[in-house]
Amino acid sequence: MREREEDSARRGKKDDLGTQLLLLVLKIVLLAGFLFILFQFLFSVTLAGDDSMKPSIREGDIVISYRLKKDYVKDQVILVNYEGVRQVRRVLAVEGDTVDITAEGLLINGSLQVEPDIYTQTLPFTEGVTFPLTVGEGQVFVLGDNRPYAQDSRIYGTVDKKATLGAVFTVIRRRGF
């Protein structure tokens, strides 16, 4: 009689362990599904592919952006998809602004821009758009911080807000860990 009770107790423990294991796997699957939905529709995680935003964002840094808010303002950093490549760029002009790049530098609405965090001169490229340029409705004008090496609105013109991938809200440094 006692053997039957012990055998029954062992089977109960096995059933409890199996049930607990099944519940653990179910919780992991639900958590993975939730994270997938979260990062598919609300957030975007991208590696900075080059040094075009140096020194603020370097190649290899992890950039996290929020996809839903697209009412960008000047100096905000956003993700742009240009020819299938995700680029991190800074908004310098919004709809209605007039952008001109001359020998003096970058002019927005006729005012010379003083950018304390930009260490190189802003020059137009020989190829690309012609200046002055007025930013259309629902568009932004973006530049990389490392101006001599960045492919940006000086080449491909203004960017439709609908074609952007969101506003960057945090950068995680990968170098030096």
Side-chain angles (χ1 to χ4, degrees), residues 36-66:
F36 174 78
I37 290 171
L38 191 67
F39 283 97
Q40 186 68 25
F41 298 107
L42 291 178
F43 301 105
S44 176
V45 179
T46 304
L47 286 178
D50 57 19
D51 278 333
S52 60
M53 286 295 290
K54 190 176 181 180
S56 58
I57 300 172
R58 296 182 182 159
E59 181 180 3
D61 288 348
I62 299 170
V63 179
I64 302 175
S65 64
Y66 182 62

Short mmCIF file of all heavy atoms in Angstrom, two decimals, residues 36-66:
data_model
loop_
_atom_site.label_atom_id
_atom_site.label_comp_id
_atom_site.label_asym_id
_atom_site.label_seq_id
_atom_site.Cartn_x
_atom_site.Cartn_y
_atom_site.Cartn_z
N PHE A 36 8.43 40.78 -30.58
CA PHE A 36 8.42 40.87 -32.04
C PHE A 36 7.44 41.94 -32.50
O PHE A 36 7.77 42.79 -33.32
CB PHE A 36 8.06 39.51 -32.66
CG PHE A 36 7.90 39.56 -34.14
CD1 PHE A 36 9.01 39.60 -34.97
CD2 PHE A 36 6.63 39.61 -34.72
CE1 PHE A 36 8.87 39.67 -36.34
CE2 PHE A 36 6.49 39.67 -36.09
CZ PHE A 36 7.60 39.70 -36.90
N ILE A 37 6.23 41.91 -31.97
CA ILE A 37 5.22 42.92 -32.34
C ILE A 37 5.68 44.31 -31.94
O ILE A 37 5.55 45.27 -32.71
CB ILE A 37 3.86 42.57 -31.72
CG1 ILE A 37 3.29 41.32 -32.40
CG2 ILE A 37 2.89 43.73 -31.81
CD1 ILE A 37 2.07 40.75 -31.73
N LEU A 38 6.23 44.43 -30.74
CA LEU A 38 6.71 45.73 -30.25
C LEU A 38 7.76 46.32 -31.18
O LEU A 38 7.69 47.48 -31.57
CB LEU A 38 7.27 45.56 -28.84
CG LEU A 38 7.58 46.81 -28.05
CD1 LEU A 38 6.29 47.54 -27.71
CD2 LEU A 38 8.31 46.43 -26.77
N PHE A 39 8.75 45.51 -31.57
CA PHE A 39 9.83 46.03 -32.40
C PHE A 39 9.50 46.01 -33.89
O PHE A 39 10.21 46.60 -34.68
CB PHE A 39 11.13 45.28 -32.11
CG PHE A 39 11.77 45.73 -30.84
CD1 PHE A 39 11.59 45.04 -29.66
CD2 PHE A 39 12.53 46.89 -30.82
CE1 PHE A 39 12.16 45.48 -28.49
CE2 PHE A 39 13.11 47.35 -29.65
CZ PHE A 39 12.92 46.64 -28.48
N GLN A 40 8.42 45.35 -34.28
CA GLN A 40 8.02 45.39 -35.68
C GLN A 40 7.21 46.64 -35.99
O GLN A 40 7.33 47.19 -37.08
CB GLN A 40 7.20 44.13 -36.00
CG GLN A 40 6.86 43.98 -37.45
CD GLN A 40 8.07 43.70 -38.32
OE1 GLN A 40 9.06 43.18 -37.87
NE2 GLN A 40 7.97 44.07 -39.57
N PHE A 41 6.40 47.09 -35.04
CA PHE A 41 5.47 48.18 -35.33
C PHE A 41 5.75 49.48 -34.58
O PHE A 41 5.43 50.55 -35.06
CB PHE A 41 4.04 47.73 -35.05
CG PHE A 41 3.62 46.58 -35.91
CD1 PHE A 41 3.48 45.31 -35.39
CD2 PHE A 41 3.38 46.75 -37.26
CE1 PHE A 41 3.11 44.24 -36.18
CE2 PHE A 41 3.02 45.69 -38.07
CZ PHE A 41 2.88 44.43 -37.53
N LEU A 42 6.34 49.42 -33.39
CA LEU A 42 6.55 50.64 -32.61
C LEU A 42 7.98 51.15 -32.65
O LEU A 42 8.22 52.34 -32.74
CB LEU A 42 6.15 50.41 -31.15
CG LEU A 42 4.68 50.22 -30.87
CD1 LEU A 42 4.45 49.97 -29.39
CD2 LEU A 42 3.89 51.41 -31.33
N PHE A 43 8.93 50.25 -32.54
CA PHE A 43 10.33 50.64 -32.45
C PHE A 43 11.14 50.00 -33.58
O PHE A 43 10.73 49.01 -34.15
CB PHE A 43 10.93 50.22 -31.11
CG PHE A 43 10.23 50.81 -29.94
CD1 PHE A 43 9.37 50.05 -29.15
CD2 PHE A 43 10.41 52.15 -29.61
CE1 PHE A 43 8.71 50.60 -28.07
CE2 PHE A 43 9.75 52.70 -28.52
CZ PHE A 43 8.90 51.93 -27.76
N SER A 44 12.27 50.61 -33.85
CA SER A 44 13.18 50.07 -34.84
C SER A 44 14.58 50.06 -34.24
O SER A 44 15.00 51.04 -33.62
CB SER A 44 13.16 50.95 -36.10
OG SER A 44 14.11 50.50 -37.03
N VAL A 45 15.28 48.96 -34.40
CA VAL A 45 16.65 48.85 -33.92
C VAL A 45 17.55 48.69 -35.14
O VAL A 45 17.33 47.81 -35.97
CB VAL A 45 16.81 47.63 -32.97
CG1 VAL A 45 18.24 47.51 -32.51
CG2 VAL A 45 15.87 47.76 -31.79
N THR A 46 18.55 49.55 -35.23
CA THR A 46 19.43 49.58 -36.40
C THR A 46 20.87 49.79 -35.96
O THR A 46 21.12 50.50 -34.98
CB THR A 46 19.03 50.75 -37.33
OG1 THR A 46 17.67 50.60 -37.69
CG2 THR A 46 19.87 50.77 -38.58
N LEU A 47 21.80 49.20 -36.69
CA LEU A 47 23.22 49.50 -36.48
C LEU A 47 23.59 50.66 -37.39
O LEU A 47 23.23 50.67 -38.57
CB LEU A 47 24.09 48.29 -36.84
CG LEU A 47 24.09 47.13 -35.88
CD1 LEU A 47 24.96 46.01 -36.42
CD2 LEU A 47 24.60 47.54 -34.52
N ALA A 48 24.31 51.64 -36.85
CA ALA A 48 24.82 52.73 -37.69
C ALA A 48 25.83 52.12 -38.65
O ALA A 48 26.80 51.50 -38.22
CB ALA A 48 25.44 53.81 -36.84
N GLY A 49 25.59 52.27 -39.94
CA GLY A 49 26.40 51.58 -40.94
C GLY A 49 27.68 52.27 -41.34
O GLY A 49 28.54 51.66 -41.97
N ASP A 50 27.83 53.55 -41.00
CA ASP A 50 29.03 54.27 -41.40
C ASP A 50 29.28 55.41 -40.42
O ASP A 50 28.56 55.58 -39.46
CB ASP A 50 28.91 54.79 -42.84
CG ASP A 50 27.70 55.68 -43.05
OD1 ASP A 50 27.14 56.21 -42.07
OD2 ASP A 50 27.30 55.87 -44.21
N ASP A 51 30.30 56.19 -40.71
CA ASP A 51 30.66 57.31 -39.83
C ASP A 51 30.10 58.64 -40.32
O ASP A 51 30.64 59.70 -40.01
CB ASP A 51 32.18 57.41 -39.71
CG ASP A 51 32.75 56.44 -38.70
OD1 ASP A 51 32.02 56.07 -37.76
OD2 ASP A 51 33.93 56.05 -38.85
N SER A 52 28.99 58.62 -41.05
CA SER A 52 28.44 59.86 -41.59
C SER A 52 27.80 60.75 -40.53
O SER A 52 27.51 61.91 -40.80
CB SER A 52 27.43 59.55 -42.69
OG SER A 52 26.38 58.78 -42.16
N MET A 53 27.59 60.24 -39.32
CA MET A 53 27.06 61.06 -38.22
C MET A 53 28.11 61.29 -37.13
O MET A 53 27.78 61.74 -36.04
CB MET A 53 25.82 60.40 -37.61
CG MET A 53 24.59 60.49 -38.47
SD MET A 53 23.99 62.18 -38.71
CE MET A 53 23.38 62.58 -37.08
N LYS A 54 29.35 60.98 -37.44
CA LYS A 54 30.44 61.12 -36.48
C LYS A 54 30.62 62.59 -36.14
O LYS A 54 30.52 63.42 -37.02
CB LYS A 54 31.71 60.55 -37.12
CG LYS A 54 32.86 60.40 -36.19
CD LYS A 54 34.02 59.74 -36.91
CE LYS A 54 35.20 59.55 -35.99
NZ LYS A 54 36.31 58.91 -36.68
N PRO A 55 30.83 62.99 -34.94
CA PRO A 55 31.18 62.23 -33.75
C PRO A 55 29.98 61.82 -32.89
O PRO A 55 30.15 61.06 -31.94
CB PRO A 55 32.07 63.19 -32.99
CG PRO A 55 31.52 64.53 -33.29
CD PRO A 55 31.03 64.43 -34.72
N SER A 56 28.76 62.30 -33.18
CA SER A 56 27.64 62.00 -32.30
C SER A 56 27.22 60.53 -32.35
O SER A 56 26.89 59.95 -31.33
CB SER A 56 26.44 62.90 -32.62
OG SER A 56 26.06 62.75 -33.96
N ILE A 57 27.24 59.93 -33.54
CA ILE A 57 26.93 58.52 -33.71
C ILE A 57 28.01 57.92 -34.58
O ILE A 57 28.30 58.44 -35.66
CB ILE A 57 25.54 58.32 -34.35
CG1 ILE A 57 24.46 58.95 -33.46
CG2 ILE A 57 25.26 56.85 -34.59
CD1 ILE A 57 23.09 58.99 -34.08
N ARG A 58 28.60 56.83 -34.12
CA ARG A 58 29.70 56.20 -34.86
C ARG A 58 29.26 54.89 -35.49
O ARG A 58 28.28 54.29 -35.07
CB ARG A 58 30.87 55.96 -33.92
CG ARG A 58 31.45 57.22 -33.38
CD ARG A 58 32.62 56.94 -32.51
NE ARG A 58 33.13 58.19 -31.96
CZ ARG A 58 33.86 58.26 -30.89
NH1 ARG A 58 34.19 57.17 -30.22
NH2 ARG A 58 34.30 59.43 -30.47
N GLU A 59 30.05 54.44 -36.45
CA GLU A 59 29.78 53.17 -37.10
C GLU A 59 29.73 52.05 -36.06
O GLU A 59 30.58 51.95 -35.19
CB GLU A 59 30.88 52.86 -38.12
CG GLU A 59 30.68 51.57 -38.85
CD GLU A 59 31.77 51.29 -39.86
OE1 GLU A 59 32.74 52.07 -39.95
OE2 GLU A 59 31.66 50.27 -40.54
N GLY A 60 28.69 51.23 -36.14
CA GLY A 60 28.54 50.12 -35.22
C GLY A 60 27.68 50.42 -34.00
O GLY A 60 27.31 49.51 -33.26
N ASP A 61 27.35 51.70 -33.76
CA ASP A 61 26.47 52.03 -32.63
C ASP A 61 25.06 51.50 -32.91
O ASP A 61 24.61 51.45 -34.05
CB ASP A 61 26.39 53.54 -32.42
CG ASP A 61 27.67 54.13 -31.84
OD1 ASP A 61 28.54 53.35 -31.39
OD2 ASP A 61 27.80 55.36 -31.85
N ILE A 62 24.37 51.12 -31.85
CA ILE A 62 23.00 50.65 -31.98
C ILE A 62 22.08 51.85 -31.82
O ILE A 62 22.15 52.58 -30.84
CB ILE A 62 22.68 49.58 -30.91
CG1 ILE A 62 23.61 48.38 -31.09
CG2 ILE A 62 21.21 49.16 -31.00
CD1 ILE A 62 23.54 47.38 -29.96
N VAL A 63 21.22 52.05 -32.81
CA VAL A 63 20.31 53.20 -32.84
C VAL A 63 18.89 52.68 -32.69
O VAL A 63 18.46 51.82 -33.46
CB VAL A 63 20.47 53.97 -34.16
CG1 VAL A 63 19.51 55.14 -34.22
CG2 VAL A 63 21.90 54.43 -34.35
N ILE A 64 18.16 53.20 -31.71
CA ILE A 64 16.77 52.79 -31.49
C ILE A 64 15.87 53.99 -31.77
O ILE A 64 16.10 55.09 -31.24
CB ILE A 64 16.56 52.29 -30.05
CG1 ILE A 64 17.50 51.10 -29.78
CG2 ILE A 64 15.11 51.87 -29.84
CD1 ILE A 64 17.47 50.59 -28.37
N SER A 65 14.88 53.76 -32.60
CA SER A 65 13.97 54.85 -32.98
C SER A 65 12.53 54.46 -32.74
O SER A 65 12.18 53.29 -32.67
CB SER A 65 14.17 55.22 -34.45
OG SER A 65 13.81 54.13 -35.28
N TYR A 66 11.69 55.48 -32.61
CA TYR A 66 10.26 55.32 -32.41
C TYR A 66 9.58 55.59 -33.75
O TYR A 66 9.70 56.67 -34.32
CB TYR A 66 9.78 56.31 -31.34
CG TYR A 66 8.32 56.22 -31.01
CD1 TYR A 66 7.78 55.06 -30.48
CD2 TYR A 66 7.48 57.30 -31.23
CE1 TYR A 66 6.44 54.97 -30.17
CE2 TYR A 66 6.13 57.23 -30.91
CZ TYR A 66 5.62 56.05 -30.39
OH TYR A 66 4.29 55.97 -30.09
#
